[in-house]
């Protein structure tokens, strides 16, 4: 059974020990509340590494993708979102754009991104995984815990109890 957390309640309990992401993200997945250990990726307008990582067992993790906030192209569409579902990822947070929003909205996946755009990314195999990434006031580190709901995103170094 999956335990649900409210980010506002987590803030009240862990105020001194958590990071709060600044507003800017929109929900696109079928799950509006999700949490898990963080896996990270830094890439710019090239979703090759997104596909590669989502092809690995997710083990309930959250993939956090730093695209530098690009609004030029989508870093994830319905095919990669389905790959995430099939491989056990709990969610994805993209500091960038997605596409196929209607289809992704029906999937059992947490997904937050800045916007939707129909343009696809390039595929050159570029990107760096497993490094801390920083955007909207939060440093996302692999292995830490991300909690997201309709109030936003918070990050804790350890799993909430």
């Amino acid at each position: 059974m999956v335990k649900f957390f409210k980010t506002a309640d987590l803030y009240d309990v862990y105020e001194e020990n958590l990071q709060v992401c600044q507003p800017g993200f929109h929900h696109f997945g079928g799950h509006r509340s999700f949490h898990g250990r963080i896996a990270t990726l830094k890439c710019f307008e090239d979703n090759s590494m997104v596909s590669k990582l989502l092809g690995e067992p997710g083990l309930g993790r959250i993939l956090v993708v730093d695209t530098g906030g690009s609004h030029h192209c989508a870093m994830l569409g319905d095919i990669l979102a389905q790959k995430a579902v099939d491989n056990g990822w709990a969610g994805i947070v993209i500091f960038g754009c997605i596409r196929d929003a209607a289809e992704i909205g029906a999937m059992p996946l947490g997904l937050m991104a800045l916007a939707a755009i129909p343009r696809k990314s390039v595929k050159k195999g570029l990107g760096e995984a497993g490094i801390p990434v920083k955007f909207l006031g939060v440093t996302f580190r692999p292995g830490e815990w991300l909690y997201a709901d309709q109030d936003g995103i918070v990050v804790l170094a350890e799993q909430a109890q």
Side-chain angles (χ1 to χ4, degrees), residues 44-64:
F44 183 73
E45 298 180 0
D46 178 346
N47 75 348
S48 305
M49 293 289 292
V50 175
S51 179
K52 180 180 182 221
L53 285 177
L54 294 177
E56 299 173 1
L59 307 171
R61 291 178 295 164
I62 310 294
L63 180 59
V64 177

Side-chain angles (χ1 to χ4, degrees), residues 12-119:
D12 292 346
V13 173
Y14 298 100
E15 179 178 356
E16 300 299 321
N17 298 311
L18 59 67
Q19 300 179 77
V20 179
C21 196
Q22 296 168 2
F25 286 104
H26 301 281
H27 283 277
F28 289 98
H31 290 170
R32 296 290 195 253
S33 178
F34 58 98
H35 70 277
R37 279 192 181 273
I38 296 171
T40 61
L41 176 60
K42 186 175 184 78
C43 51
F44 183 73
E45 298 180 0
D46 178 346
N47 75 348
S48 305
M49 293 289 292
V50 175
S51 179
K52 180 180 182 221
L53 285 177
L54 294 177
E56 299 173 1
L59 307 171
R61 291 178 295 164
I62 310 294
L63 180 59
V64 177
V65 182
D66 180 2
T67 73
S70 173
H71 281 73
H72 183 73
C73 64
M75 296 296 288
L76 179 115
D78 60 341
I79 294 170
L80 293 185
Q82 187 61 55
K83 184 186 274 193
V85 170
D86 294 344
N87 288 316
W89 290 85
I92 305 166
V93 174
I94 299 179
F95 187 50
C97 297
I98 62 113
R99 68 186 204 163
D100 302 316
E103 293 84 353
I104 292 171
M107 294 181 186
L109 179 69
L111 174 59
M112 294 178 81
L114 298 177
I117 187 171
R119 182 183 295 117

Side-chain angles (χ1 to χ4, degrees), residues 126-140:
L126 302 175
E128 194 172 358
I131 62 167
V133 296
K134 184 174 183 174
F135 51 82
L136 295 180
V138 172
T139 300
F140 299 87

